[in-house]
Amino acid sequence: MAIPQSKVFRVDGMSCQHCKMAVESMVGKLSGVESVSVDLAAGTVEVKYNAEQVDTEAIEGAIAGAGYDVVKDS
Ligand SMILES: [Cu+2]
């Protein structure tokens, strides 16, 4: 049994409920993603996922596919 991982992504461009829904549905479609939680005020997306099924690159790709920019750390 895999332990779910959790990661908070910083995402630019999310400004309303529509953005929130778009990101949550795109990321939520990935198999291995257990939950997606968008915080519009903070500009963050918290994702819980099974690292055996999906990786952060795929999650970032889904966020980008929804039309938003993932802000890279460092
Ligand atoms: Cu919007």
Side-chain angles (χ1 to χ4, degrees):
M1 277 247 292
I3 298 160
Q5 308 256 354
S6 175
K7 182 169 160 91
V8 176
F9 299 87
R10 287 181 51 220
V11 178
D12 268 350
M14 300 184 301
S15 56
C16 69
Q17 286 300 317
H18 171 80
C19 301
K20 179 177 155 81
M21 298 288 289
V23 170
E24 287 179 348
S25 81
M26 284 295 282
V27 176
K29 272 184 204 160
L30 296 170
S31 64
V33 169
E34 306 204 345
S35 74
V36 189
S37 168
V38 171
D39 185 330
L40 282 176
T44 57
V45 180
E46 181 177 14
V47 182
K48 290 195 175 70
Y49 62 99
N50 179 343
E52 288 175 0
Q53 290 178 268
V54 69
D55 59 17
T56 59
E57 261 176 44
I59 294 167
E60 288 171 3
I63 294 170
Y68 305 98
D69 293 324
V70 179
V71 180
K72 298 288 188 178
D73 310 326
S74 86

